[in-house]
């Protein structure tokens, strides 16, 4: 589907969607459309008590003599309160409601908003449409499924086409990072293995990222036994991929983004029940988001020194698989009793945390992992779980989450919980008791974060995948985290330079 911007003149054909801010009146534009359509606009507004509230939506069939097919009215909410992500959501929502049409022109009618802000609004609507229009249909072979959306083009009317287009392209760089992540997450595990995943990351070198891929022998040499233990039951060998971006000042400390990339999590010998196990193809969501984010940061030449690292493994049962009760020594020298081979994400993270701290000395670490079912029990799919050793970092992340509508909810960590993962045979065990499963997982990761490093752990198990269409995402992979962390970097790191 094509998204474009066109001149602000009253169209003579196609379908028309007109947006209103709350309690705004018709301007010349809407008045003339109203006239051309035998006053169905004003009649519908009156009949449906349409006042431009966010989520208000009216669909009208235009009188044939008007030349238009359909007319839609949509609400944007109060013009002084609406935030950027709200406008994107209005765009995405609009797209989902008018999928059947062929050619859509969108116009936002308003009286109070300055032109320059209107340019941004037009590109935010386009951005939302772009995100919502994505779907993963590469495996359908039948035409009907392939062409699910009959919408061929969307054109947004703008008073400054060039400026709108430029703004839209800025958003598109982030959105393409989101889509890169979604594509990885949606891909089944027979196609996306640690090796093919690493290959896709390697290709990001063309964006200016310095990419390094670690193979098994290198990992063995460095003693990354926690990660290797998870992978040892799989015919697909593991990889670690590092993406380095230096866009900031020379003396600025690195921020590290760390992602769990379990390409398939069967549970290993502590095998999962078969029903729903297919979901575990998306147990690499953290790694996908880190890759999509690094791609976007490079593409927009972000003024930040960032490094992304992902641990890519497959967790399988096999004659050679790791057993419950095994003890492994991680690369940083700590020993772990693996009581449950299904608590594998933390084992992978342990070794890549060591690697990134040793080689890049980051000031901040943000890790993302589809780590626990327990976080879904606590928060469902509406918030991701946030765990951190730093209040300011937490507040900054929560603020970025509110602004992008990728929300986080902070949960506690502390010595009481840390105690729960002490082992009677090694430095720690990889599971705690039944209680507080998301927290004990975070405590485990914390044991691999060096003193003085500001760290946040995002348990994204609930938000990585959606069983239903949402305003900015068709069902399946959401790409949650890319927009959030891009916003975090912009507002908190680039702005302080
Ligand atoms: N990948 C899972 C967590 C998960 C569950 C992600 C559901 C997405 C949806 C993780 O590796 C896992 O299996 N965690 C176990 C930990 C337990 C064995 C301590 C869990 O949550 O049950
Ligand atoms: Mn698991
Ligand atoms: Zn897992």
């Amino acid at each position: 589907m094509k998204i474009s911007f066109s001149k602000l003149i009253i169209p003579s054909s196609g379908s028309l969607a007109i947006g209103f801010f709350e309690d705004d009146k018709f301007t010349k534009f809407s008045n003339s459309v109203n006239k051309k359509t035998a006053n169905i606009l004003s009649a519908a507004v009156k009949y449906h008590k349409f006042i431009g509230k966010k989520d208000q939506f009216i669909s009208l069939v235009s009188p044939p003599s008007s030349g238009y097919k359909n007319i839609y009215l949509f609400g944007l909410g109060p013009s002084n309160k609406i935030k950027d992500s709200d406008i994107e959501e209005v765009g995405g929502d609009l797209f989902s409601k008018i999928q059947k049409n062929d050619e859509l022109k969108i116009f936002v009618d308003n009286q109070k908003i300055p032109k320059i802000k209107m340019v941004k609004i037009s590109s935010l609507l386009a951005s939302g449409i772009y995100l919502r229009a994505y779907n993963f249909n590469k495996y359908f072979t039948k035409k009907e499924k392939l062409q699910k959306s009959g919408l061929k083009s969307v054109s947004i009317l703008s008073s400054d086409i060039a400026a709108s287009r430029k703004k839209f392209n800025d958003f598109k760089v982030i959105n393409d990072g989101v889509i890169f992540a979604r594509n990885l997450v949606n891909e089944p595990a027979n196609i996306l293995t640690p090796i093919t995943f690493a290959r896709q990351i390697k290709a990001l070198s063309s964006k200016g990222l310095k990419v390094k891929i670690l193979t098994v022998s290198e990992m063995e040499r460095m003693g990354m036994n926690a990660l290797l233990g998870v992978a040892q039951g799989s015919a697909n060998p593991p990889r670690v991929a590092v993406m380095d971006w230096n866009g900031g000042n020379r003396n600025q400390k690195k921020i590290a983004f760390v992602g769990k990339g379990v390409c398939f999590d069967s549970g290993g010998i502590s095998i999962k029940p078969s029903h729903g196990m297919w979901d575990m193809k998306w147990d690499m969501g953290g790694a996908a988001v880190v890759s999509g984010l690094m791609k976007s940061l490079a593409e927009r030449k972000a003024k930040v020194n960032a490094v992304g690292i992902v641990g890519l493994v497959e967790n399988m049962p096999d004659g050679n698989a790791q057993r419950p009760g095994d003890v492994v020594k991680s690369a940083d020298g700590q020993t772990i009793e693996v009581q449950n081979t299904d608590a594998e994400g933390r084992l992978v993270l342990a070794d890549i945390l060591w690697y990134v701290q040793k080689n890049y000395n980051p000031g901040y670490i943000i890790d993302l992992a589809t780590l626990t079912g327990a976080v879904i029990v606590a928060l469902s799919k509406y918030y991701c779980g946030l765990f951190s050793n730093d209040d300011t970092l937490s507040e900054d992340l929560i603020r970025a989450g509110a602004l992008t509508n990728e929300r986080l909810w902070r949960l506690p960590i502390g010595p009481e919980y840390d105690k729960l993962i002490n082992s009677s045979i090694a430095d720690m065990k990889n599971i705690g008791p039944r209680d507080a499963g998301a927290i004990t997982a975070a405590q485990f990761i914390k044991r691999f974060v060096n003193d003085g490093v500001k760290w946040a752990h995002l348990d994204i198990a609930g938000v990585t995948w959606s069983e239903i269409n949402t305003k900015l995402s068709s069902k399946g992979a959401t790409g949650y985290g890319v927009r959030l962390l891009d916003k975090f970097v912009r507002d908190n790191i680039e702005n302080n330079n």
Side-chain angles (χ1 to χ4, degrees):
M1 189 198 58
K2 207 173 139 243
I3 299 176
S4 61
F5 297 90
S6 55
K7 259 217 204 121
L8 222 173
I9 46 169
I10 296 169
S12 52
S13 65
S15 290
L16 202 54
I18 309 178
F20 293 91
F21 285 98
E22 208 163 310
D23 296 322
D24 235 354
K25 302 258 167 11
F26 280 16
T27 62
K28 223 167 73 191
F29 185 99
S30 300
N31 275 324
S32 358
V33 175
N34 192 36
K35 233 185 243 155
K36 281 179 74 171
T37 55
N39 300 330
I40 57 164
L41 260 65
S42 47
V45 162
K46 207 167 156 200
Y47 181 75
H48 292 286
K49 299 193 172 65
F50 180 90
I51 55 163
K53 265 200 173 31
K54 188 171 176 253
D55 295 335
Q56 261 192 326
F57 179 77
I58 301 175
S59 166
L60 302 164
V61 177
S62 192
S65 59
S66 68
Y68 303 124
K69 257 171 101 172
N70 296 300
I71 310 268
Y72 306 98
L73 306 180
F74 64 96
L76 284 147
S79 61
N80 54 345
K81 276 197 218 130
I82 195 157
K83 57 185 191 208
D84 292 1
S85 59
D86 288 337
I87 299 173
E88 287 179 308
E89 287 188 359
V90 168
D93 205 29
L94 179 65
F95 172 83
S96 69
K97 285 173 174 156
I98 42 122
Q99 292 213 15
K100 306 269 143 18
N101 275 287
D102 47 0
E103 250 180 72
L104 187 76
K105 285 146 191 164
I106 301 175
F107 171 72
V108 177
D109 204 358
N110 80 95
Q111 300 179 308
K112 302 169 203 130
I113 300 171
K115 259 193 183 172
I116 187 149
K117 210 177 153 198
M118 282 308 294
V119 163
K120 191 171 175 202
I121 289 169
S122 65
S123 31
L124 282 166
L125 284 172
S127 170
I129 292 169
Y130 187 78
L131 280 172
R132 182 61 181 77
Y134 165 86
N135 64 3
F136 187 78
N137 59 10
K138 66 190 273 198
Y139 293 116
F140 291 121
T141 63
K142 307 275 184 291
K143 270 233 173 70
E144 318 86 77
K145 288 271 182 155
L146 269 170
Q147 293 170 340
K148 227 163 83 195
S149 150
L151 198 60
K152 293 229 172 52
S153 69
V154 174
S155 185
I156 296 135
L157 309 187
S158 164
S159 59
D160 187 339
I161 297 175
S164 293
R165 202 176 282 152
K166 186 171 174 299
K167 255 257 128 350
F168 174 63
N169 280 333
D170 291 345
F171 296 135
K172 197 166 162 290
V173 171
I174 318 307
N175 295 340
D176 284 338
V178 174
I179 286 172
F180 186 78
R182 285 180 185 171
N183 277 333
L184 289 163
V185 169
N186 282 322
E187 200 66 75
N190 59 328
I191 305 298
L192 195 79
T193 64
I195 286 180
T196 59
F197 195 152
R199 208 172 281 151
Q200 290 211 42
I201 291 174
K202 184 80 203 171
L204 296 178
S205 314
S206 66
K207 307 283 174 204
L209 290 168
K210 260 187 259 155
V211 179
K212 191 177 162 71
I213 311 287
L214 303 181
T215 58
V216 172
S217 54
E218 290 167 290
M219 289 185 244
E220 279 170 351
R221 213 171 319 125
M222 289 183 283
M224 298 172 77
N225 302 311
L227 184 154
L228 289 166
V230 175
Q232 80 190 29
S234 170
N236 290 307
R239 291 289 184 267
V240 168
V242 189
M243 296 153 266
D244 192 14
W245 173 253
N246 294 296
N249 293 336
R250 272 245 249 123
N251 51 5
Q252 177 198 79
K253 267 204 167 183
K254 276 241 148 84
I255 177 165
F257 297 105
V258 177
K260 168 179 173 181
V262 177
C263 293
F264 190 75
D265 179 14
S266 69
I269 296 299
S270 314
I271 198 161
K272 289 180 181 294
S274 52
H275 186 84
M277 203 201 271
W278 49 82
D279 277 336
M280 288 301 105
K281 73 168 187 184
W282 51 265
D283 206 18
M284 31 54 72
V289 168
V290 168
S291 310
L293 174 70
M294 293 306 297
K295 174 180 184 282
S296 292
L297 292 179
E299 210 146 358
R300 72 173 180 81
K301 307 224 173 338
K303 292 188 176 51
V304 60
N305 296 333
V307 59
I309 182 167
V310 298
L312 308 172
V313 302
E314 194 179 57
N315 186 22
M316 297 292 263
D318 174 77
N320 191 42
Q322 161 160 274
R323 291 146 293 253
D326 283 3
V327 173
V328 292
K329 188 176 217 160
S330 66
D332 83 335
Q334 302 187 76
T335 55
I336 306 160
E337 179 189 3
V338 181
Q339 284 196 338
N340 190 320
T341 65
D342 196 13
E344 83 297 340
R346 62 200 77 179
L347 299 170
V348 173
L349 291 172
D351 277 343
I352 60 177
L353 280 166
W354 166 81
Y355 183 91
V356 80
Q357 291 175 100
K358 179 167 177 284
N359 293 291
Y360 296 87
N361 189 31
Y364 293 87
I365 294 178
I366 298 176
D367 78 74
L368 298 107
T370 49
L371 206 63
T372 67
V375 84
I376 311 177
V377 173
L379 300 170
S380 185
K381 59 194 176 200
Y382 307 112
Y383 288 82
C384 101
L386 165 66
F387 306 81
S388 178
N389 61 5
D390 190 81
D391 291 343
T392 308
L393 175 58
S394 298
E395 284 157 21
D396 291 344
L397 282 166
I398 288 169
R399 191 175 321 108
L403 291 171
T404 52
N405 234 337
E406 294 189 337
R407 298 179 300 174
L408 317 98
W409 196 266
R410 191 173 181 188
L411 293 166
I413 50 173
E416 312 89 318
Y417 298 104
D418 184 64
K419 245 185 12 219
L420 301 176
I421 54 168
N422 287 335
S423 157
S424 54
I425 177 174
D427 296 336
M428 71 197 84
K429 54 186 180 182
N430 74 332
I431 54 167
R434 209 173 70 91
D435 301 1
I439 303 177
T440 48
Q443 292 294 164
F444 184 98
I445 295 166
K446 187 172 182 293
R447 290 196 184 199
F448 294 88
V449 176
N450 296 342
D451 287 343
V453 178
K454 293 174 179 167
W455 158 75
H457 158 56
L458 276 53
D459 192 334
I460 56 172
V463 294
T464 295
W465 189 266
S466 177
E467 294 296 341
I468 53 166
N469 294 329
T470 65
K471 288 185 172 166
L472 292 183
S473 180
S474 57
K475 63 181 172 210
T478 62
Y480 174 105
V482 176
R483 293 165 65 246
L484 161 72
L485 294 175
D486 178 78
K487 185 76 180 153
F488 169 81
V489 167
R490 268 174 210 273
D491 291 357
N492 300 286
I493 303 182
E494 294 182 275
N495 268 355
N496 288 338
N497 272 333

